[in-house]
Amino acid sequence: MGERKADTMEEQKTRPRVYLIETMTDLEDDVLRTWLERQANDTGQPPPTVEVTDEALADLASRKDDPLLTPVRVVWLPRETHPDGVQQFRETLSLRDPLHPSQTTQRRVMRDDPSRCQVLEGDPAPLSDLERRLAETGGGSLPDFIRRQAALTLERAERTLLGTQYKVSKFVVDEITDSSRYQSGTHELSAQLVLPVAEVDRRARGALEEMVAAQSRRAIALWDQLGRYFSRAYRLDVDTTRLDELRELNKAHSLVFLPSHRSYLDPLVLRPALLANNLPLNHVMGGLNVNIWPIGSIGKRSGTVFIRRKFGDDEVYKWTLREYMRYLLTKRFNLEWYIEGGRSRTGKLRPPRFGLLNYLAQAFRTSEMSDVYLVPVSLTYDQLYEVGAMAAEAHGEAKSKESLRWLFGYVRAQGRWHGVAHVNIGRPLSLADYLGQEDDPRLAVQKTAFEVCHRINEVTPVTASSLVMLAFLGIEDRALTVLEISGILGPLVDYIKARSLPSAGDVDLTDPQVIRKAVRTHLDSGVLRSFDRGSERVFYLGRDQHLVAAFYRNTTIHFLVMRAIAEMVLLAAGDQSFTDPLPDGLDVALRLRDLLKFEFFFSEKDSFRDELRTELDLIDPEWESNLGDREHATNLLSGMRIHLAHRVLQPFLEAYAVVASQLLRTPVEQKFDEKAFMTSCLALAEQRRLRQQIGSSESISAELFATALKLARNRGLVEPNVGNLVAGRAKFAEEIQTLVDQVLRIRAIAHTHLDQIGLGE
């Protein structure tokens, strides 16, 4: 029961020993009495016992002879095999601890397999030591503290017996609320908010009861079984390169896993990947919107922390969340949440949300822990059932609300094969180091979050699924044969190898069978369609599938952005004489970097310059000597085997052009109505697509419009009554349209190249 080392054997012999026992069944009582008789002292008398009741513990707490308290419990080990699914589901939803079965089950176990019944003995502690520890933590009575410490000690003993996968106390709320820290915190909030202490305490306890997770063995077992069923559409591919490093770090520090968020399946994919590699269960921070019975009940009892998606100015809730996170760090639990906040609607990584990371940083600063390590994780899928729904949302449809009916439909859809789910672990980063780099705590958190995102992108693998979609986007809705797909992707695969970019673990992108398999997967999902009544079979994007195709392409797009920018630099070098190729080229690239800063995670300026230099070196090792020659730059661009600017940048720039045009139509003197503005952007984009003024339906995206609007707001072009607003909006529209025209010129060069090598009409 003690946190310090137990007394020596000699000290233990001189103290009177008292065994703390719980209420038991008659059978358990017989088992324990038999066990106690074997612990008899020199007089032949079994040691005294005290039942854990209020009255008995009050008497025990008043003793002056400082007895050695030892908690004991009769436990019933679980069976090697699991019960059938229906029975297991019922037992999970019940409140019964599987280590304490009903009397009927106990009698059956004693008859059939008595070895499953054991007496568990917790570490002893002197009464004086418990008194000291209570005084240090503050709050609560000594009898309650004895009861709680006895239970915690037995739980630790259970983990020794059953394994370390389960290590969450049943008394988390009590441990937090009985501390002097909690008491002083509620008083400070009471004064700050001008609320009675009792009201602050009531709200904080309610928030804790709502968010605190447990770890029921039965719930964990069922959750794992359900997870395998829910994700049965995938084969799991886990990159184990960094797992030894994580296990070593986890010996002394909490790990906070920060995965990319693609799907509702993400926690069901990451969890088995970690458990299979001997890492403990994470506390997964999840939104209350997915706390749907019965999944919510099972999830909460297997480590899911349900938190409100919005808690605005609720200072009590914010403080309670910080205190809970501090508790988890202090107890060295591992955490998990999605750095993007919500699922990506475009396939590429969203900008990070800072909320939970801010709470983590505040909790860490007050936890007295030496460090916490953040673990970037990339989760990608060959195919996803929900991408179609997310594409519809991007076109303006309302998001379907999570419900039991929705859940059944989602699970049913996983019955079809969707390929491979890829789990890749990025370089862990020290929270202490990154928080220490800035004096401003908020700026430190923001830089930390962006570094996490950068490291996620670093390990996100290039997949055949994403490359096939890259081939079909940017070609004016033309159909392709398998040979033509390979012809388009061949030079790109060479580029990927030259860059040493990460690819999915067991995939050889140079193997034509890999491309054929990816095409078949997209055919099965309906993203691609085929036509085989002509001279040979051709493939093309299905109707309204452009955004779906873009989602898969975008999982790889971050690796290709710098190449696309380098092509824009070459185009500019052909249009104007570069006096000094590096500064002039960098100036072109930096303007694009600033325009797309809310879309992609760019490096700091110096690193960005080095990355541009590397890309230009791959295109022409002598570019610094040659880009002053306009004709050479033009020939260089037209002679390249691959062109990516139109495939990568065009949809974003065309979406931005829609927003810029709509801003020109928006009165500058009226209050800005964002919802109406977005609706107008969708209508304008649809019109431009029908008139073939937009190259692809993927540019018709509320997600892209929202990012473009964020950029416009950042430049002071949204809110009314700002000086020179009309002129500013016009300049913004002109800048983007110029870039669209430049990308279209590169697209024309690329199509000419395809025609010349026999891949066009």
Side-chain angles (χ1 to χ4, degrees), residues 562 565-566 569 581-587 589-590 593 602-617 623-624:
M562 187 56 76
I565 290 175
V569 170
L582 181 58
D584 291 348
L586 182 61
D587 184 59
L590 287 175
R593 176 179 179 267
F602 291 112
S603 303
E604 296 291 336
K605 187 175 180 179
D606 289 344
S607 297
F608 181 84
R609 179 192 59 201
D610 293 340
E611 291 166 8
L612 177 64
R613 179 190 290 274
T614 299
E615 287 294 340
L616 291 171
D617 283 343
W623 64 271
E624 286 195 76

Side-chain angles (χ1 to χ4, degrees), residues 353-474:
R353 294 289 185 91
F354 307 123
L356 283 177
L357 199 56
N358 272 315
Y359 291 123
L360 177 74
Q362 293 164 9
F364 168 67
R365 291 188 183 101
T366 60
S367 70
E368 300 180 357
M369 301 298 292
S370 62
D371 208 346
V372 170
Y373 280 84
L374 308 182
V375 184
V377 182
S378 167
L379 301 177
T380 53
Y381 303 81
D382 286 349
Q383 289 283 328
L384 269 178
Y385 162 72
E386 63 240 63
V387 172
M390 291 191 289
E393 292 169 28
H395 277 164
E397 290 189 19
K399 178 179 179 291
S400 298
K401 187 176 181 181
E402 293 85 357
S403 64
L404 190 58
R405 181 178 179 181
W406 165 86
L407 177 64
F408 285 144
Y410 187 87
V411 173
R412 190 184 307 115
Q414 303 309 314
R416 295 181 58 182
W417 176 250
H418 291 317
V420 182
H422 307 276
V423 180
N424 293 73
I425 309 295
R427 294 177 292 135
L429 61 153
S430 160
L431 182 62
D433 286 352
Y434 270 81
L435 293 182
Q437 292 178 10
E438 295 289 341
D439 294 332
D440 182 345
R442 286 193 171 275
L443 181 59
V445 165
Q446 291 171 13
K447 287 193 171 183
T448 302
F450 279 105
E451 179 62 23
V452 169
C453 292
H454 172 70
R455 296 189 186 195
I456 291 174
N457 273 341
E458 232 178 24
V459 295
T460 299
V462 177
T463 65
S465 175
S466 65
L467 291 185
V468 167
M469 290 297 94
L470 184 72
F472 279 94
L473 292 167

Side-chain angles (χ1 to χ4, degrees), residues 62-338:
S62 65
R63 287 179 58 164
K64 304 301 181 185
D65 55 347
D66 197 17
L68 192 68
L69 308 184
T70 306
V72 292
R73 171 185 292 170
V74 177
V75 296
W76 304 81
L77 300 183
R79 289 185 293 179
E80 290 285 334
T81 56
H82 295 297
D84 66 78
V86 173
Q87 179 64 22
Q88 187 176 10
F89 188 77
R90 289 172 180 166
E91 291 178 1
T92 300
L93 295 182
S94 74
L95 298 177
R96 182 175 295 281
D97 188 332
L99 297 186
H100 298 81
S102 67
Q103 293 190 58
T104 302
T105 303
Q106 290 177 5
R107 286 192 291 270
R108 186 174 66 250
V109 170
M110 290 301 289
R111 182 186 69 239
D112 299 337
D113 189 5
S115 64
R116 287 175 53 199
C117 178
Q118 297 191 20
V119 174
L120 198 65
E121 183 177 6
D123 291 334
L127 178 62
S128 59
D129 190 46
L130 295 172
E131 289 176 327
R132 175 187 59 79
R133 285 159 50 197
L134 176 63
E136 289 175 355
T137 58
S141 66
L142 182 56
D144 285 341
F145 190 71
I146 294 172
R147 176 189 289 108
R148 190 162 63 249
Q149 292 305 307
L152 291 171
T153 302
L154 287 171
E155 286 181 0
R156 285 194 291 270
E158 285 180 2
R159 293 201 297 273
T160 301
L161 186 64
L162 297 171
T164 58
Q165 182 182 13
Y166 318 107
K167 61 176 188 175
V168 180
S169 165
K170 301 174 184 176
F171 301 97
V172 173
V173 175
D174 291 338
E175 286 190 79
I176 294 173
T177 57
D178 282 353
S179 67
S180 57
R181 178 182 179 83
Y182 176 87
Q183 303 299 328
S184 62
T186 53
H187 280 78
E188 289 175 10
L189 276 175
S190 170
Q192 175 187 332
L193 303 175
V194 194
L195 287 172
V197 173
E199 175 63 13
V200 174
D201 177 66
R202 183 188 69 79
R203 292 188 189 179
R205 287 176 186 270
L208 283 172
E209 293 289 352
E210 184 179 78
M211 68 177 68
V212 166
Q215 284 185 356
S216 154
R217 291 166 180 81
R218 189 71 73 193
I220 288 170
L222 181 56
W223 187 252
D224 290 344
Q225 184 175 337
L226 288 174
R228 287 191 294 273
Y229 180 70
F230 289 177
S231 57
R232 65 194 184 280
Y234 298 94
R235 177 178 64 81
L236 195 59
D237 170 40
V238 182
D239 178 12
T240 60
T241 307
R242 294 196 173 272
L243 292 176
D244 285 342
E245 180 184 3
L246 293 188
R247 283 189 291 268
E248 190 62 30
L249 288 173
N250 206 194
K251 291 178 180 178
H253 307 287
S254 290
L255 303 178
V256 179
F257 290 83
L258 300 173
S260 56
H261 198 10
R262 300 284 194 270
S263 168
Y264 289 111
L265 295 174
D266 289 344
L268 302 177
V269 167
L270 180 57
R271 180 180 181 130
L274 299 179
L275 293 182
N277 287 280
N278 299 317
L279 284 160
L281 289 173
N282 294 340
H283 275 66
V284 182
M285 317 295 278
L288 273 174
N289 61 307
V290 293
N291 187 7
I292 306 165
W293 185 91
I295 298 301
S297 173
I298 301 169
K300 186 175 178 67
R301 296 176 63 196
S302 58
T304 301
V305 178
F306 288 113
I307 57 176
R308 301 170 193 169
R309 294 188 67 83
K310 295 181 180 179
F311 36 90
D313 297 326
D314 190 338
E315 296 301 326
V316 175
Y317 191 88
K318 292 178 182 178
W319 174 77
T320 305
L321 178 58
R322 286 196 297 269
E323 289 303 298
Y324 182 37
M325 293 182 80
R326 179 184 182 277
Y327 170 87
L328 293 173
L329 295 182
T330 301
K331 299 297 183 181
R332 221 176 71 242
F333 290 110
N334 291 347
L335 279 66
E336 174 188 329
W337 71 81
Y338 301 103

Side-chain angles (χ1 to χ4, degrees), residues 663-728:
L663 278 173
L664 287 175
R665 295 173 168 83
T666 303
V668 297
E669 68 281 354
Q670 296 179 5
K671 183 179 180 181
F672 186 76
D673 185 338
E674 185 165 332
K675 185 176 181 180
F677 179 83
M678 296 295 282
T679 301
S680 298
C681 286
L682 286 167
L684 177 59
E686 289 281 4
Q687 181 192 67
R688 290 190 172 186
R689 174 63 174 156
L690 290 170
R691 300 186 65 190
Q692 298 185 355
Q693 295 170 338
I694 283 180
S696 170
S697 296
E698 63 171 306
S699 299
I700 310 173
S701 167
E703 285 281 315
L704 299 187
F705 298 155
T707 313
L709 188 60
K710 184 177 181 180
L711 175 68
R713 185 171 272 120
N714 178 257
R715 294 189 176 186
L717 302 176
V718 174
E719 304 307 327
N721 299 319
V722 177
N724 297 320
L725 188 57
V726 173

